[in-house]
Structure formats: structure tokens, C-alpha cells
Amino acid sequence: MNHRPLTAAALALTALAATGCGARVEEEPNRAGAPATVTVPRCGEEIEYTTPERAVVYEGGSADKMFSLGLTDHVHGYVMPPANPPVTESPWADEYARVEFLSDDLLNRELVVDAEADFVVAGWNSGFSDQRGITPEILDGLGIQSFMHTESCFNYPGHPEEVTPFEGLFTDLERLGAIFGVEDRATELVADYRARVETVEEQAPEGDPVPVFLYDSGTDQPFTAGSQVPPNDIIRFAGGRNIFADLDERWTQVGWEAVVEAEPEVVIILDYGDQPAEDKIEFLTGLPALADVPAVAEENFFILDYNEGISGPRNIDGLEKFAEYLGEHTS
């Protein structure tokens, strides 16, 4: 694998023992010919990285984080399962066009090896998987570096690192910035995103938070968002209350009875895959058990794009859109 040394500007940062994201640039002079390294946490484990040149990214959230940091030249290709909306609809459609489409299947070890990747970005149980034999530890053994979404560390065995979902996004941008030597760009991006979140919070409706139910899928039992995924932060920053925020989970199944008892006033439909959002709405409105639920009776449905609901820069877009909807429907 070909590793390019960090730029002179990045090497100047070696005077820093650490950054706010926990990265540490090696202070010892490099051995002759040895690439510069930076130490950055990966789900609580300190990992030494050299600058990747052939990254493989899984799903839109991973790709968007890299593209938003201006790292397209370091991305070899992407893996995009069919559930993801078309990349042509992405704000970074031009960036996707510059890199290779590798597969519309789940992430797997053979694909990564065949692509001669030196870096893989994915989430735990969303990309990386014990069952499919592709984990950060396995890739370490193959000499392939990896980066795991901090938001997904909650599911990682022992989940040694747990932060709120939006903080996970900001942490990832800062850590990727450190790995690739673009700390200034990461700092600027995170500051902009934080400012946009703060603006939404300031404009949130007054009074008690509006009860909100996120519907992902499921008929016998609904699949929904617990407290450890981005929609929970989207709801709360906009002035709502995720009716399942007390579940210390990521994506999880619940019972329809619990939905009815919570009396949500708004339903967020997560839009992805081969079941259109309109079909999901039709199912919910046709379910007798939900007939008297305020959100269903009044048809207060908000459609959240899949890539606005998984960890990635588009979380902020989803927040702003939902906040606007909430303001219009609760005033």
C-alpha cells in the first residue's frame, strides 16, 4: 500500500500534544523514510494512522463525511446498498461521480481487499459485522486501516465510547480531519454545524415539547429510533420529544400499544428502500389501532430522508427541515 507522508503544514502540528477530538500527532522525529502518523481514538481505542490514499466508504453517511471535508481525492470508491437513495440526489453528487462505485451489496472483506483499500469507513453493525467477518480488528490484521462512526460505538462490544448522536457526528469530522491533516477544515465545518443547530434551538416552539414517533418500518411491530441515533437529536433540538427517547438503544422494535399510549402529535417517516414513504403513511392511516392517535388522525406526517437520519452531515439538513415543519404545525 502506498502511504503519502503528511504535508509540511500538517507536520507543523506536531508541536501539539493533542487536539479537542483526542488526536495526537507523533512528536518524535520520524525515522528516515517512515510516513508521519497521527493517533486518533476509534471507539475508545487509540489507533495510529498514516494518511490514507485509497479509502472505501460504506453508505451515504461515510461518504458524505469524507466529501464534506474535501477529501474526495483520498476516496477510491463507495459501497451503496439498494436501500440508500440514489447518490445523484446527494448534495455531493459531483463528488460521488469522481470516485468508483464498488458495489450495491453489504460491505465485505473480499470487496475491500480487491479494491486494495488502505482505509475503510463504516459503522458497527452497519458495514462492519462479526457475522460477515469484516471488523476493524480483522482489517487491522490485514494491514488495512479503519474508522468507525462514533455514534455506532454504542453497539460495539462493551461500547467504551458513548456520546449523543450529533456529538458523534462532530467528533467524527474532527477525527477524520486529524487523520487526513485537514483540521482547520474540520473545525470550520463543525463550528458551522453547531451554529445551525443553535439557531434551530433558539427558534424552537415554546411550551411542552411535541411528542414525536419515528416510523422506520414493520407491521406486527414497528421499528423505531431510540436515544442513540440522529433522529433523537433532530427531534429534541427542533423542540419535539421522541416518545422512545427513554430507550437506551439505537434502532429498535417496540409495540404498537406503546405508540398509542404515547399519543404522538407528529410521525416522522424514514424514507428509504423499496417501500415509498407514501406506502408507509397509507399503512399507518389504515391501522385501526392508530385511528385515534393525534398524528395519524390529523395526518401530521414528516418525511425524513434516509441520509438525514443516519450519522452524517445531512443530519443538520434534516434538523432544519423538521424544525420548519414543526413550527408550521404547532403554531
Side-chain angles (χ1 to χ4, degrees):
M1 290 177 290
N2 178 32
H3 299 300
R4 186 176 68 187
L6 291 173
T7 62
L11 286 172
L13 293 170
T14 56
L16 297 176
T19 70
C21 62
R24 184 176 69 253
V25 179
E26 295 305 306
E27 297 184 21
E28 293 296 324
N30 292 322
R31 297 182 301 276
T37 63
V38 60
T39 300
V40 175
R42 183 185 67 196
C43 281
E45 181 182 7
E46 295 292 319
I47 302 296
E48 188 177 276
Y49 291 94
T50 55
T51 309
E53 295 297 337
R54 290 180 64 86
V56 167
V57 292
Y58 180 74
E59 285 199 311
S62 301
D64 291 354
K65 287 174 184 177
M66 294 287 287
F67 296 153
S68 68
L69 289 167
L71 297 173
T72 308
D73 288 344
H74 295 264
V75 178
H76 168 63
Y78 63 94
V79 178
M80 198 67 68
N84 281 245
V87 298
T88 52
E89 299 175 2
S90 166
W92 292 281
D94 290 345
E95 307 308 306
Y96 278 104
R98 290 177 52 197
V99 303
E100 188 174 337
F101 169 63
L102 298 173
S103 174
D104 62 359
D105 199 355
L106 299 175
L107 189 67
N108 62 78
R109 183 170 46 186
E110 182 180 6
L111 183 153
V112 168
V113 172
D114 287 348
E116 298 182 349
D118 61 0
F119 189 65
V120 180
V121 184
W124 181 247
N125 286 346
S126 174
F128 297 124
S129 166
D130 270 327
Q131 290 76 14
R132 284 183 280 105
I134 180 165
T135 68
E137 290 75 18
I138 289 172
L139 293 181
D140 287 345
L142 295 173
I144 300 172
Q145 303 177 110
S146 64
F147 182 91
M148 195 143 52
H149 299 308
T150 303
E151 171 258 349
S152 74
C153 293
F154 180 81
N155 278 102
Y156 197 55
H159 53 85
E161 193 169 11
E162 183 179 335
V163 298
T164 56
F166 273 24
E167 284 305 316
L169 166 63
F170 303 150
T171 297
D172 288 346
L173 293 171
E174 290 168 345
R175 290 178 178 175
L176 286 167
I179 290 169
F180 287 90
V182 291
E183 291 92 339
D184 288 349
R185 170 61 179 156
T187 298
E188 178 183 325
L189 201 58
V190 170
D192 175 61
Y193 290 158
R194 286 190 186 278
R196 288 168 64 184
V197 172
E198 187 176 331
T199 297
V200 168
E201 283 189 285
E202 291 172 349
Q203 298 173 353
E206 296 181 358
D208 294 335
V210 177
V212 180
F213 166 54
L214 181 137
Y215 179 62
D216 177 298
S217 59
T219 54
D220 294 338
Q221 286 185 295
F223 202 55
T224 190
S227 64
Q228 297 297 321
V229 286
N232 189 72
D233 278 2
I234 287 174
I235 293 168
R236 72 182 181 94
F237 285 129
R241 173 179 57 82
N242 176 8
I243 62 172
F244 293 111
D246 60 340
L247 295 181
D248 200 20
E249 304 278 355
R250 295 185 69 224
W251 303 99
T252 187
Q253 279 189 324
V254 295
W256 287 116
E257 299 83 359
V259 176
V260 173
E261 290 172 6
E263 300 184 324
E265 296 177 19
V266 175
V267 173
I268 294 178
I269 304 291
L270 191 63
D271 190 20
Y272 70 96
D274 56 5
Q275 185 182 19
E278 291 74 16
D279 289 357
K280 294 183 180 182
I281 292 173
E282 184 178 352
F283 167 73
L284 294 177
T285 54
L287 200 62
L290 302 184
D292 294 328
V293 168
V296 176
E298 298 169 21
E299 297 189 0
N300 282 340
F301 296 104
F302 174 81
I303 298 174
L304 183 70
D305 183 85
Y306 181 75
N307 285 301
E308 293 171 347
I310 63 172
S311 183
R314 283 185 262 181
N315 292 158
I316 313 302
D317 299 326
L319 167 65
E320 291 171 336
K321 293 174 186 176
F322 181 61
E324 182 179 357
Y325 176 91
L326 211 56
E328 293 172 351
H329 289 76
T330 58
S331 56

